[in-house]
């Protein structure tokens, strides 16, 4: 990216940030939708750096034929003006070199300051008392004010055990939960890169304010003690020895915070303004993106490039390196200064003299006699020597440093070989008429960072301008001569029309031939695919047969298993019935055994009764005998 492109990019970034911040300041900064405000600020500041890189194709107005088709170019030698132009640009180079070093030193200073703040924060953490680990880390510190950084919360010693402790910790926890420290690191990185941009500081202040608004709103809603919380803010109103990247409990805009707290408590505002951010972003996107084919944007870039031209090649290195870089920048005519030539075709769109169609001519054609000496336009190395470069015929390519390349074509003879180092003004070839050419000439191209450039802009020892001739009235002629001239012109016009028609017919024939070839190729392809499909179908049929037989076998096996299963089921049922019958018989036998036992007991009892009765009878008999 050259200096002119860098300047255009920086101007676009500042303009985009200015538009976005003005919209925020005018419509959004007093809104209570703090999350939306934070999203807007982060999205727009990141977008301001990305939007200039976006390219939107724009339909450009069709341009007429370039000057090589409509005008006659003449080249006038300027003389030895290169050294004088370098000397005149010496002061500009010094000025921009100084500015560049100032920018780098300031950027390094800001990045170093942020790094120092991180180091100080780590030392402060190591010297603070680690209290407890919740979902965040709580430290007891000797600092005068509470603050937080990512997941670490630092609370002064004198606040522990006070009534304000819980609300202050809740405030800092909002910073931790919302990842406000990440926003601070990002915005400080942008400040280091664009420290000269005033809008970046406004963005940083606005983003820090939104962080505090978010924390205040959450604490007030959680504890429902607006007056008490504001008193805590007043009690913490003091200066702090360390600020840096951390989120302090008491930010300096205490008045704005109190006004915003009261507003969020008493009033619900409309969010309609946020819907207008979409058209604003679309407008900025359309206005500041790179547009291919936009002539106005290209004109602005060209103007800036003209201003920065003396130091375009190298703007970070020292003055000596810049002067050395100019040795590799093409700056002279590719022909010997004594050679006679005319500009037969300039850089731009033209009607191709071979194919008669409109094409981009990426170089400069200098019509000159065959054998004219061709010279290197800058110091470099021979990158390619080609004897048959398609339409270019014999072609030579030189590489000049890391930025430029030059191409010399339609040559008749080479004076250098591949890989050879050449110096500016050295004869490298002879002009000729090789390749597709309508006459002896030199075709010359310049490429910068791989992009084709107009070679006229890189020829400093000749001045090119359009020659406009005043036509004098033609001499008088009689009617017959005039009719003859008209007839000749008509015949010429008819020939041109026929020529165009023949070219169109040839093109149509070529198109039809190509279409027939394509259709033939497609039909062959379709036939081949059909054959392949038929073979696949045969293979699939065989596989289906095999699968069917295997399926039949599986079905038979399944039937046998099913019948066996049925038999097993029947056998199991019969066994169950037999078991039931056996159980019933066992039950009956058990009852019979019980009856037998009872009968036996009854028999024994009856025998005992009979013996007792017998004894009684004997006693009675004895009594009767005694009585007698």
């Amino acid at each position: 990216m050259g200096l002119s492109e860098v300047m255009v990019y920086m101007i676009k970034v500042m303009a985009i940030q200015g538009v976005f911040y003005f919209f925020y300041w005018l419509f959004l900064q007093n809104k209570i939708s703090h999350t939306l405000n934070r999203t807007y600020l982060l999205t727009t500041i990141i977008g301001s750096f990305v939007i200039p890189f976006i390219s939107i194709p724009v339909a450009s107005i069709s341009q007429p034929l370039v000057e090589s088709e409509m005008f006659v170019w003449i080249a006038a030698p300027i003389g030895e003006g290169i050294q004088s132009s370098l000397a005149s640009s010496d002061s500009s180079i010094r000025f921009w070199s100084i500015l560049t070093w100032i920018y780098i030193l300031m950027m390094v200073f800001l990045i170093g300051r942020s790094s120092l703040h991180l180091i100080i924060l780590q030392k402060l953490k190591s010297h603070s008392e680690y209290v407890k680990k919740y979902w965040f880390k709580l430290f007891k510190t000797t600092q005068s004010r509470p603050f937080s950084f990512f997941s670490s919360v630092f609370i002064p010693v004198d606040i522990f055990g006070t009534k304000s402790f819980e609300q202050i910790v809740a405030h800092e926890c909002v910073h931790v939960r919302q990842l406000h420290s990440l926003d601070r690191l990002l915005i400080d990185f942008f400040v280091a890169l664009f420290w000269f941009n005033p809008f970046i500081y406004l963005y940083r202040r606005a983003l820090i304010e939104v962080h505090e608004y978010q924390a205040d709103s959450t604490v007030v809603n959680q504890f429902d003690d607006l007056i008490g919380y504001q008193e805590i803010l007043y009690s913490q109103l003091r200066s702090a020895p360390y600020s840096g990247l951390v989120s302090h409990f008491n930010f300096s805009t205490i008045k704005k915070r109190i006004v915003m707290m009261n507003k969020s408590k008493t009033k619900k505002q409309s969010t309609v303004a946020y819907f207008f951010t979409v058209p604003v972003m679309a407008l900025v996107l359309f206005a500041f993106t790179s547009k291919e084919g936009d002539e106005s944007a290209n004109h602005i870039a060209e103007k800036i490039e003209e201003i920065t031209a003396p130091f375009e090649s190298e703007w970070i290195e020292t003055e000596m390196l810049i002067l050395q870089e100019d040795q590799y920048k093409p700056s002279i005519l590719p022909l010997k200064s004594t050679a006679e030539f005319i500009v037969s075709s300039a850089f731009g769109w033209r009607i191709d003299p071979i194919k008669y169609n409109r094409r981009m001519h990426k170089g400069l054609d200098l019509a000159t006699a065959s054998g004219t000496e061709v010279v290197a336009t800058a110091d470099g190395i021979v990158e390619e020597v080609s004897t048959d470069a398609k339409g270019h015929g014999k072609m030579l390519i030189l590489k000049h440093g890391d930025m430029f390349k030059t191409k010399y074509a339609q040559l008749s003879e080479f004076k250098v070989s591949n890989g050879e180092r050449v110096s500016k003004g050295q004869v490298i070839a002879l002009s000729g008429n090789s390749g597709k050419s309508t006459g002896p000439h030199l075709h010359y191209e310049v490429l910068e960072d791989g992009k084709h450039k107009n070679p006229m802009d890189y020829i400093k020892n000749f001045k090119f301008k359009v020659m406009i001739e005043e036509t004098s009235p033609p001499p008088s002629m009689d009617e017959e001569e005039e009719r003859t001239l008209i007839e000749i012109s008509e015949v010429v016009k008819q020939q041109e029309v026929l020529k165009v028609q023949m070219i169109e017919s040839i093109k149509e024939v070529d198109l039809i031939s190509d279409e027939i070839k394509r259709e033939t190729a497609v039909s062959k392809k379709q036939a081949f695919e059909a054959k392949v499909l038929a073979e696949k179908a045969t293979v699939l049929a065989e596989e289906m047969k095999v699968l069917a037989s295997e399926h039949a076998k599986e079905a038979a096996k399944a039937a046998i298993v099913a019948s066996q299963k049925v038999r097993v089921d029947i056998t199991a049922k019969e066994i169950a019935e037999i078991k039931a019958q056996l159980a019933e018989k066992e039950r009956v036998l058990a009852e019979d055994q019980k009856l037998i036992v009872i009968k036996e007991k009854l028999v024994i009892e009856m025998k005992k009764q009979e013996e007792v009765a017998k004894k009684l009878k004997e006693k009675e008999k004895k009594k009767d005998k005694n009585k007698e």
Side-chain angles (χ1 to χ4, degrees), residues 207-221:
L207 191 59
I208 295 174
E209 286 179 353
V210 170
H211 289 172
E212 298 303 322
Y213 294 158
Q214 281 185 302
D216 293 339
S217 176
T218 302
V219 173
V220 170
N221 292 333

Side-chain angles (χ1 to χ4, degrees), residues 388-400:
D388 185 15
K390 295 183 179 180
H392 287 154
K394 292 184 177 181
M395 183 184 69
L396 190 68
I397 298 178
L398 300 184
K399 182 180 180 182
H400 311 281

Side-chain angles (χ1 to χ4, degrees), residues 609-621:
Q609 290 294 331
E610 287 178 354
E611 289 179 357
V612 171
K614 189 183 286 186
K615 288 179 180 181
L616 288 173
K617 287 181 178 182
E618 288 177 354
K619 283 180 181 182
E620 287 179 358
K621 286 180 179 181

Side-chain angles (χ1 to χ4, degrees), residues 103-130:
Y103 167 78
I104 294 174
L105 290 174
M106 193 66 184
M107 180 180 66
V108 171
F109 168 74
L110 292 174
I111 294 176
R113 187 182 68 171
S114 298
S115 301
L116 180 62
H117 285 167
L118 292 174
I119 295 172
I120 293 173
L121 185 62
Q122 290 300 320
K123 288 184 178 180
L124 180 62
K125 184 184 293 187
S126 63
H127 289 85
S128 299
E129 181 183 349
Y130 182 70

Side-chain angles (χ1 to χ4, degrees), residues 176-194:
V176 174
R177 188 179 291 108
Q178 296 290 335
L179 297 178
H180 289 166
S181 298
L182 187 62
D183 296 0
R184 296 291 297 273
L185 283 175
L186 181 65
I187 195 69
D188 273 36
F189 175 72
F190 289 150
V191 168
L193 291 181
F194 278 74

Side-chain angles (χ1 to χ4, degrees), residues 37-49:
N37 282 355
R38 180 191 177 197
T39 303
Y40 174 84
L41 290 172
L42 290 175
T43 302
T44 54
I45 194 168
I46 295 173
S48 65
F49 292 99

Side-chain angles (χ1 to χ4, degrees), residues 239-302:
S239 60
Y242 171 73
S243 58
L245 303 172
V246 300
S247 298
H248 275 293
F249 171 74
N250 186 20
F251 187 57
S252 59
T253 55
I254 183 70
K255 183 178 178 181
K256 288 184 177 180
R257 291 171 64 182
I258 292 175
V259 170
M260 188 60 68
M261 279 187 279
N262 292 326
K263 184 183 295 184
S264 63
K265 194 72 178 176
T266 60
K267 184 178 180 181
K268 291 185 178 179
Q269 297 187 4
S270 173
T271 57
V272 176
Y274 293 98
F275 291 102
F276 288 99
T277 59
V278 176
V280 169
M281 289 183 180
L283 181 63
V284 169
L285 188 67
F286 179 78
F288 292 98
T289 49
S290 301
K291 301 174 181 63
E292 301 173 359
D294 190 347
E295 296 299 329
S296 60
N298 295 336
H299 179 69
I300 294 171
E302 289 173 1

